[in-house]
Amino acid sequence: MGNQTAVLTPQHEDFPRWYQGVLTKAKLAENGPARGTMVIRPTGYAIWERMQAEIDARIKVAGAQNAYFPLLIPMSFFEREAEHVEGFSPELAVVTHGGGKELTEPLAIRPTSEAVIGEYMAKWVDSYRDLPLLLNQWSNVVRWELRPRIFLRTTEFLWQEGHTAHVTESDARKYARRILHEVYQDFMRSVLAIPVIVGSKTASERFAGAENTMTCEGIMRDGKALQMGTSHEFGQRFSRAFNITYSSAEGATELCWTTSWGASTRMLGGLIMTHGDDFGIVVPPALAPVQVVVVVVKDIDGAVTRTASALAQDLKGRGVRVKLDDNIDQAFGWRATEWDLQGVPIRVELGPRDLADNVALLYRRDTRDKTQVGIDNLVAEVEQLTGRIQTDMFEAATARRDALVIDCATLDEAREAAQTGVARLPWELVGTSGERDLATSGVTVRCLQLSDGSLPDTDHDRGALAYVARAY
Amino acid sequence: MGNQTAVLTPQHEDFPRWYQGVLTKAKLAENGPARGTMVIRPTGYAIWERMQAEIDARIKVAGAQNAYFPLLIPMSFFEREAEHVEGFSPELAVVTHGGGKELTEPLAIRPTSEAVIGEYMAKWVDSYRDLPLLLNQWSNVVRWELRPRIFLRTTEFLWQEGHTAHVTESDARKYARRILHEVYQDFMRSVLAIPVIVGSKTASERFAGAENTMTCEGIMRDGKALQMGTSHEFGQRFSRAFNITYSSAEGATELCWTTSWGASTRMLGGLIMTHGDDFGIVVPPALAPVQVVVVVVKDIDGAVTRTASALAQDLKGRGVRVKLDDNIDQAFGWRATEWDLQGVPIRVELGPRDLADNVALLYRRDTRDKTQVGIDNLVAEVEQLTGRIQTDMFEAATARRDALVIDCATLDEAREAAQTGVARLPWELVGTSGERDLATSGVTVRCLQLSDGSLPDTDHDRGALAYVARAY
């Protein structure tokens, strides 16, 4: 690969420019025609589809059912919960005309569906036998963004949002944590290979209207944090606002305890900025829409193509997601650059000389190492390598993250450390006034965690450690 | 089942009321808070997810790739193609405010994505090597509906829309037909068990801006037609409007030939009204999210539940989508009524006496027949029955459809026949003036078909038969 020319701005030179470059060059996404919107191209969308499938399967195991609620919500719905309306009002897109006429009540495009789902939960829940009610929705949402950035902050994005109602506070709490750990954390670690830091948000960083917000924070290669999935407890605030009540076994009318939780196309940004390098994105095998590309380097009489095609078929038969690149009209170097850009985890390269020696080159995208393997062993080698890359990518990302996290003893130290990485210090040294102080330097408390890695209870955060960083 | 009380208005009494009733009682969907919108409940959404999976797999086999384009489209985009803007202007929902401010250019919520996708195709297609460009999108769209009806006509609905660009007219034509037959017709017949009539639309019934629209028309039990999936050829009209050009092998700049095609949550309406009966909906096994429910009729010492649970596990192990109903706190009759309403194709019923005799009752929802089978044979019997129900449902639906189609010799006869069913007559007897005449009685030409069942070419419709009906 020595003669490969750099197609991207190196990360160390200009990380934001590298990010923009890789979005374009890997054909992941581009800006939409309306400000702040994005077009997700097939290469990017295929990754999103795999994210959806993996998360959806975990959500179903957790017992939630998918449903669909309307895009357009009467403005009055937002006004029922004070903090919720305050949080979302500045971000709403408003439909004032429909069918050629001005509407009597303007409609908001959903920025989140708490309000409308709350309305229907109230209808559907009658007795304690109807609980828990566990709903999830895959949809688009719109939040007006002043500083849009593809995948990270866009006016429209795609996500799933779960909404649940429970009999007791303890049930609601357990479920919100189950989703955090068994859906988000497990998916992010075992599929995305991202060692997210899992913790609770401070009061000032909570979701609008939530009593507790728990988060999975990814640490990007540039030292900034990215909130990649959150799970919220609402206590009884939403059930009070929307009258979500049940009759207990004893016949009393009681308010439900509700939760909500979401993860979005932001995760694509997290994937790119956690694993990407100067040659493109790097997709972990468990996630990759194409895990292996079998490349015909060149061919004379069709023999190489036949063998490559047979190898691809064998891999497919073993359940590997594989693609054949027999496009020998284009130079091999150009094609290799493209596959690097798109981050396909494994490349099998085969040319006439390899065929004569009954070998192929096995290239792994994460380390960019090449080894020669016998064609007869190739399928087994690829299967082994798939698992190894997945593990190695998680370990490498963990090492990079750990190198970015710096233990600090004062707020000043933390502010300083957070300019290039993540500061960790006792929450007692920060506090609400420290948070305000950090904010003036563009730094926030990303989450609180107890020293054993577990989550502090809301308002019982003594002894908690604060992770402090700049954030996307 | 003798003592089962009717929970629905019988179809023959009031079909529209039956339809509304089954939506509610089977918990499929209900009205949203904003006029014309709908909430798709978990039971309904699970069917939609299975529809999506089956259609998506066929689209991928046909080589198209999924992508995502923005919800919000600048109004100016619609004005580029004259017929397209004329067709959609009256139906647009318009965002005039975002982020608390009035927008300088109002944004339309997509009623379809031809315009925005056209813009990006123009960017992405450079040379003939980039063609065909085969894109598909799963999304929501909004078209202002004056007479909304859940699943059939709603202001917001869910669908897929495919958009493709080709080098030649013949390539575009072939692909539009491939989608019509291999994706829509195959899915509707083999999965939905609906014997759709496949034909071409007359000029007045074409999609706004299309040069040819091909359709799959379902005939509902009340004799009305439902357009369930369409595939359009745009010729070079959209590529001219959006400047979708390619440079040929000879270096000349040429306009592409484009197509689009879509199918939506309307299909849920088609499913309900094709197979539903006075006891609820009936879902074909190939589609059903739950194919078999194993019902514990009653239990004393847990022995019935254990056997039922083991049977459910065995079925699951054989790849059957199965659910266990061990909810013996609720009366069996009530539960049977619920499963009937939701249309689960097969019910296995097991009580203490059955267990003593080592038998179970096997109930098929389509015919409502019950047979006793030995528990040891049950899994094999269920597997056989699954295939048999699928075939029988298609045959029964075909017989009902055929009984509704009446060959007519004059326009007057056709108008009369179309009041209760579908009239078939030579298109030459109708023509454009006949179409206008029929419209005054609320009747339209649903499609044209040649006598051998094939599609007439655009403007070569001599000898074609017209299917004339009322329509949803």
Side-chain angles (χ1 to χ4, degrees):
Chain A
M1 307 302 301
N3 59 354
Q4 191 177 321
T5 53
V7 292
L8 297 170
T9 303
Q11 290 187 334
H12 69 89
E13 241 173 55
D14 187 339
F15 197 83
R17 201 166 160 193
W18 168 84
Y19 182 73
Q20 282 304 323
V22 83
L23 291 177
T24 308
K25 296 279 170 59
K27 296 181 181 164
L28 297 170
E30 54 189 82
N31 289 322
R35 192 180 147 70
T37 63
M38 65 177 161
V39 173
I40 309 178
R41 300 187 66 171
T43 307
Y45 198 82
I47 299 174
W48 173 242
E49 279 186 317
R50 292 271 315 135
M51 288 181 172
Q52 285 189 295
E54 290 282 346
I55 290 177
D56 195 63
R58 285 167 176 77
I59 288 173
K60 282 175 173 144
V61 168
Q65 293 183 296
N66 288 339
Y68 189 79
F69 294 84
L71 174 78
L72 300 175
I73 304 177
M75 290 292 278
S76 57
F77 276 50
F78 286 89
E79 287 147 24
R80 297 204 205 154
E81 212 292 318
E83 291 202 19
H84 199 66
V85 65
E86 220 175 274
F88 283 107
S89 286
E91 299 180 359
L92 294 180
V94 184
V95 176
T96 54
H97 291 72
K101 287 186 184 156
E102 190 167 354
L103 304 179
T104 49
E105 185 183 4
L107 300 170
I109 299 183
R110 63 181 163 223
T112 170
S113 302
E114 260 77 17
V116 65
I117 295 184
E119 174 87 358
Y120 285 84
M121 281 185 156
K123 280 190 182 187
W124 297 340
V125 175
D126 183 25
S127 100
Y128 68 95
R129 286 192 200 89
D130 302 321
L131 296 173
L133 179 58
L134 311 174
L135 298 172
N136 180 59
Q137 170 173 273
W138 289 95
S139 75
N140 54 346
V141 286
V142 170
R143 298 176 187 176
W144 216 258
E145 277 295 344
L146 297 179
R147 278 179 295 280
R149 215 153 165 199
I150 285 177
F151 293 140
L152 305 173
R153 293 193 174 275
T154 45
T155 290
E156 180 190 10
F157 58 87
L158 304 182
W159 77 343
Q160 61 66 221
E161 51 179 315
H163 299 270
T164 70
H166 305 261
V167 168
T168 67
E169 179 171 25
S170 146
D171 287 352
R173 174 154 299 171
K174 268 185 217 146
Y175 199 77
R177 286 178 187 227
R178 179 175 179 186
I179 294 291
L180 182 77
H181 294 299
E182 295 178 20
V183 178
Y184 299 144
Q185 183 178 3
D186 179 66
F187 164 72
M188 289 172 197
R189 292 180 165 234
S190 65
V191 181
L192 298 188
I194 299 181
V196 286
I197 297 171
V198 179
S200 299
K201 288 286 182 187
T202 64
S204 66
E205 295 284 334
R206 280 179 201 143
F207 182 76
E211 297 199 342
N212 184 24
T213 290
M214 295 168 287
T215 180
C216 295
E217 299 280 322
I219 308 304
M220 306 297 103
R221 292 188 89 145
D222 63 349
K224 284 194 185 178
L226 180 74
Q227 179 179 302
M228 292 180 65
T230 49
S231 188
H232 318 284
E233 292 176 62
F234 286 110
Q236 296 183 311
R237 291 168 68 159
F238 258 86
S239 60
R240 194 171 292 116
F242 285 88
N243 204 28
I244 310 171
T245 62
Y246 68 93
S247 59
S248 70
E250 295 77 32
T253 300
E254 306 277 1
L255 287 173
C256 292
W257 297 81
T258 70
T259 81
S260 83
W261 25 279
S264 74
T265 37
R266 282 203 116 183
M267 291 186 293
L268 282 158
L271 174 81
I272 295 166
M273 295 193 294
T274 300
H275 299 300
D277 63 20
D278 290 348
F279 299 92
I281 69 169
V282 186
V283 187
L287 179 69
V290 179
Q291 297 173 303
V292 179
V293 59
V294 181
V295 181
V296 179
V297 177
K298 57 181 178 180
D299 202 356
I300 301 153
D301 55 1
V304 179
T305 305
R306 276 192 301 276
T307 305
S309 174
L311 280 171
Q313 277 305 319
D314 284 356
L315 287 164
K316 198 177 169 187
R318 302 284 300 175
V320 177
R321 296 186 289 274
V322 65
K323 201 161 184 164
L324 175 70
D325 173 0
D326 57 357
N327 189 11
I328 51 173
D329 289 349
Q330 281 186 305
F332 169 72
W334 186 88
R335 288 181 288 147
T337 304
E338 286 295 305
W339 295 121
D340 268 0
L341 275 167
Q342 294 187 18
V344 173
I346 297 174
R347 206 154 69 212
V348 175
E349 299 175 359
L350 196 68
R353 241 178 306 171
D354 304 309
L355 190 63
D357 297 344
N358 203 34
V359 297
L361 279 179
L362 202 54
Y363 169 85
R364 53 185 285 184
R365 173 65 184 85
D366 61 331
T367 59
R368 309 190 72 242
D369 288 337
K370 261 183 196 178
T371 48
Q372 203 179 58
V373 294
I375 286 181
D376 304 333
N377 293 330
L378 193 104
V379 172
E381 294 272 357
V382 164
E383 284 182 324
Q384 269 184 35
L385 187 56
T386 300
R388 209 178 311 140
I389 293 175
Q390 187 73 27
T391 310
D392 289 355
M393 282 183 71
F394 183 75
E395 281 174 10
T398 305
R400 285 194 299 267
R401 180 202 66 182
D402 290 348
L404 285 163
V405 176
I406 296 167
D407 282 300
C408 298
T410 68
L411 199 60
D412 283 342
E413 260 183 63
R415 188 190 299 107
E416 178 67 22
Q419 293 312 309
T420 52
V422 180
R424 181 168 48 198
L425 78 170
W427 166 235
E428 287 151 356
L429 298 180
V430 187
T432 313
S433 69
E435 270 190 294
R436 274 195 298 270
D437 185 60
L438 289 170
T440 61
S441 326
V443 171
T444 49
V445 176
R446 302 313 303 156
C447 65
L448 305 179
Q449 207 184 55
L450 298 179
S451 55
D452 64 355
S454 68
L455 276 69
D457 276 341
T458 328
D459 303 328
H460 291 83
D461 46 24
R462 275 187 180 274
L465 291 169
Y467 285 86
V468 170
R470 293 161 303 148
Y472 282 101
Chain B
M1 308 303 299
N3 59 355
Q4 189 177 323
T5 53
V7 292
L8 297 171
T9 304
Q11 290 186 336
H12 68 89
E13 241 173 55
D14 188 339
F15 197 83
R17 201 166 161 193
W18 168 84
Y19 183 73
Q20 283 304 321
V22 83
L23 291 176
T24 307
K25 297 279 169 59
K27 296 181 181 162
L28 297 170
E30 53 189 85
N31 290 320
R35 191 179 147 71
T37 63
M38 65 178 162
V39 173
I40 308 178
R41 301 186 66 171
T43 308
Y45 199 82
I47 299 174
W48 173 242
E49 279 185 316
R50 292 271 313 135
M51 288 181 173
Q52 284 189 295
E54 290 281 347
I55 291 176
D56 195 63
R58 284 169 176 76
I59 288 173
K60 282 175 172 143
V61 167
Q65 292 184 297
N66 287 339
Y68 189 78
F69 295 84
L71 175 77
L72 300 173
I73 304 178
M75 289 292 277
S76 56
F77 276 51
F78 286 90
E79 288 146 23
R80 297 204 205 153
E81 210 292 317
E83 291 202 18
H84 198 66
V85 66
E86 219 176 275
F88 283 108
S89 284
E91 300 180 359
L92 294 179
V94 184
V95 176
T96 55
H97 291 72
K101 287 188 183 154
E102 190 168 353
L103 305 179
T104 49
E105 184 183 5
L107 300 170
I109 299 183
R110 62 179 163 222
T112 171
S113 302
E114 259 79 16
V116 65
I117 295 183
E119 174 87 358
Y120 285 83
M121 281 184 156
K123 280 190 181 188
W124 296 341
V125 175
D126 183 25
S127 101
Y128 68 95
R129 286 194 201 85
D130 301 322
L131 297 173
L133 179 58
L134 311 174
L135 298 171
N136 180 59
Q137 170 173 274
W138 288 96
S139 75
N140 54 346
V141 286
V142 170
R143 299 177 187 175
W144 215 259
E145 277 295 343
L146 297 178
R147 280 178 295 279
R149 213 151 167 202
I150 286 176
F151 292 140
L152 305 175
R153 293 191 173 277
T154 45
T155 290
E156 181 191 10
F157 59 87
L158 306 182
W159 79 341
Q160 61 66 220
E161 51 179 314
H163 298 269
T164 68
H166 305 261
V167 168
T168 67
E169 179 171 25
S170 145
D171 286 352
R173 174 154 299 171
K174 268 185 217 145
Y175 199 77
R177 287 179 185 225
R178 179 176 178 184
I179 294 292
L180 182 77
H181 293 298
E182 295 177 20
V183 178
Y184 298 144
Q185 183 178 3
D186 179 65
F187 165 72
M188 290 174 196
R189 292 181 165 234
S190 65
V191 181
L192 299 187
I194 299 182
V196 287
I197 296 170
V198 178
S200 299
K201 289 285 184 189
T202 63
S204 66
E205 295 284 333
R206 281 180 200 142
F207 183 75
E211 296 199 340
N212 184 26
T213 289
M214 294 168 286
T215 181
C216 294
E217 298 280 321
I219 307 304
M220 306 296 104
R221 290 186 90 143
D222 63 348
K224 284 194 186 177
L226 180 74
Q227 178 179 303
M228 293 179 64
T230 49
S231 187
H232 317 284
E233 292 176 63
F234 286 110
Q236 296 183 313
R237 292 168 69 158
F238 258 86
S239 59
R240 194 171 291 118
F242 286 89
N243 204 27
I244 311 171
T245 61
Y246 67 94
S247 59
S248 69
E250 295 76 32
T253 299
E254 306 276 2
L255 287 173
C256 292
W257 296 81
T258 71
T259 80
S260 84
W261 26 278
S264 76
T265 38
R266 283 204 115 184
M267 290 186 294
L268 282 158
L271 174 80
I272 295 166
M273 295 193 293
T274 300
H275 298 300
D277 63 21
D278 290 349
F279 299 91
I281 68 169
V282 186
V283 187
L287 179 70
V290 180
Q291 296 174 302
V292 179
V293 58
V294 181
V295 181
V296 179
V297 176
K298 58 181 179 179
D299 201 357
I300 300 153
D301 55 0
V304 178
T305 305
R306 276 193 301 278
T307 305
S309 175
L311 280 172
Q313 277 304 317
D314 285 355
L315 286 166
K316 198 176 169 186
R318 301 284 300 176
V320 178
R321 297 185 290 273
V322 65
K323 201 159 186 165
L324 176 70
D325 172 1
D326 58 358
N327 190 11
I328 52 174
D329 289 350
Q330 281 186 305
F332 169 72
W334 186 88
R335 290 181 286 146
T337 303
E338 287 294 307
W339 295 122
D340 268 1
L341 274 167
Q342 292 187 19
V344 174
I346 296 174
R347 207 153 70 211
V348 175
E349 300 176 359
L350 195 70
R353 242 180 305 171
D354 304 309
L355 190 62
D357 297 344
N358 203 35
V359 295
L361 279 179
L362 201 54
Y363 169 85
R364 53 186 286 184
R365 174 64 184 86
D366 61 331
T367 58
R368 309 189 71 241
D369 289 336
K370 261 182 196 182
T371 48
Q372 202 180 57
V373 294
I375 286 180
D376 304 334
N377 294 328
L378 193 104
V379 172
E381 293 272 358
V382 164
E383 284 183 325
Q384 269 185 32
L385 188 55
T386 300
R388 208 178 312 141
I389 292 175
Q390 188 72 28
T391 309
D392 289 354
M393 282 183 71
F394 184 75
E395 281 175 9
T398 305
R400 286 194 299 269
R401 181 202 65 182
D402 290 347
L404 284 163
V405 176
I406 296 168
D407 283 301
C408 298
T410 68
L411 198 62
D412 284 342
E413 260 182 64
R415 187 191 299 106
E416 178 65 25
Q419 293 312 309
T420 53
V422 181
R424 181 168 49 198
L425 77 170
W427 167 234
E428 287 151 357
L429 298 180
V430 187
T432 313
S433 69
E435 272 190 291
R436 274 196 298 269
D437 185 60
L438 289 169
T440 62
S441 326
V443 171
T444 48
V445 176
R446 303 313 304 156
C447 65
L448 305 180
Q449 207 184 55
L450 297 180
S451 55
D452 64 354
S454 68
L455 276 70
D457 277 342
T458 328
D459 303 329
H460 291 83
D461 46 24
R462 275 188 180 272
L465 290 169
Y467 284 86
V468 169
R470 295 161 302 149
Y472 282 101

